[in-house]
Amino acid sequence: MGDTTRRRDGQVLVFDADDTLWENNVLFERVIDDFLEWLDHPTLDRAETRAILDDIERANAVAHGYGSKVFLRSLAECLERLRRRPATEAERREIEGLAAALVEHRVELMPGVAEALDELAPRHELLLLTKGDREEQQRKLDACGLLHHFRAAHIVREKDVDTYRWLAREHALDPAVTWMVGNSPKSDILPARAAGMNAVFIPNDNTWVLEQDELDPTDPGVLRLSAFPELLLHF
């Protein structure tokens, strides 16, 4: 297990779900690759087309939230903007076919997650905090096989500083011993720190571009790890 003298006992660990406990955005990235290839815009290259899609996704996330339904909406709107006409029924079926894997709600755990949670749960209080479409996220939670480790699991529309302040009140958390564990600077690390909590940043190569943000490398309240099982060296 490595050097156990660095472990912090009796902490509250709040875990993100998508791209922290299991793979998520890589599935969307595969669909986007297929979509851009199928779209094959005559004058814009893939990077330019992707930038347009990112802008549409950013607006739809604010207006409609997250999840595969909103993602399908964004793909259709991208097609309509680039082709300057409404999508046909055949085109909508094609887009739905490209994204079929997203609605199957298969859960592929990140390496070492199940084993690490087995060891962390007896020593700490574990909570789960995920954002997105409630029905869609609940199906993933039900399928993951991990819920027995968590005292509570919350699905929220957005993860901002007010969400973390609410979570602290809801569970009477002491911020000094509370750690938000996640891959997203925007949704996991920065708002948790703004709410006075500590944070554990575990980057994922496939983190959604809209979840990226700059972290202060000198912030002593952020623990940076390279893989989920490294939590066992610290907690």
Side-chain angles (χ1 to χ4, degrees), residues 163-190:
T163 303
Y164 289 95
R165 288 170 178 159
W166 166 82
L167 187 72
R169 293 193 303 269
E170 180 75 9
H171 294 283
L173 302 179
D174 177 359
V177 296
T178 301
W179 299 76
M180 179 62 203
V181 182
N183 68 291
S184 168
K186 177 179 177 290
S187 294
D188 300 326
I189 309 306
L190 293 175

Side-chain angles (χ1 to χ4, degrees), residues 36-91:
L36 295 179
E37 182 176 352
W38 169 69
L39 194 61
D40 191 25
H41 195 274
T43 60
L44 300 179
D45 63 24
R46 289 172 70 93
E48 291 170 320
T49 306
R50 178 61 190 266
I52 292 171
L53 176 59
D54 287 344
D55 286 342
I56 292 170
E57 286 198 280
R58 187 176 291 107
N60 278 338
V62 173
H64 305 292
Y66 304 91
S68 59
K69 294 176 184 176
V70 179
F71 177 64
L72 288 173
R73 180 188 187 120
S74 295
L75 294 181
E77 288 183 12
C78 183
L79 181 146
E80 291 175 348
R81 181 177 301 182
L82 292 173
R83 295 187 174 173
R84 300 182 179 180
R85 59 166 175 76
T88 66
E89 187 61 34
E91 287 169 336

Side-chain angles (χ1 to χ4, degrees), residues 57-161:
E57 286 198 280
R58 187 176 291 107
N60 278 338
V62 173
H64 305 292
Y66 304 91
S68 59
K69 294 176 184 176
V70 179
F71 177 64
L72 288 173
R73 180 188 187 120
S74 295
L75 294 181
E77 288 183 12
C78 183
L79 181 146
E80 291 175 348
R81 181 177 301 182
L82 292 173
R83 295 187 174 173
R84 300 182 179 180
R85 59 166 175 76
T88 66
E89 187 61 34
E91 287 169 336
R92 290 186 178 276
R93 286 198 301 269
E94 181 71 25
I95 290 172
E96 290 173 1
L98 291 174
L102 298 178
V103 298
E104 294 176 5
H105 302 288
R106 292 172 295 182
V107 174
E108 179 184 340
L109 296 182
M110 303 290 288
V113 162
E115 296 80 2
L117 291 179
D118 283 341
E119 294 196 39
L120 291 169
R123 298 199 300 268
H124 307 282
E125 178 180 340
L126 308 188
L127 300 172
L128 192 149
L129 182 67
T130 182
K131 72 176 182 179
D133 178 81
R134 178 167 295 276
E135 181 179 336
E136 186 171 336
Q137 292 303 98
Q138 187 62 56
R139 281 197 289 262
K140 289 191 236 180
L141 296 181
D142 292 340
C144 73
L146 302 174
L147 281 183
H148 61 286
H149 291 307
F150 300 97
R151 180 158 75 89
H154 297 287
I155 301 170
V156 295
R157 177 180 172 85
E158 189 58 84
K159 289 160 72 175
D160 53 23
V161 63

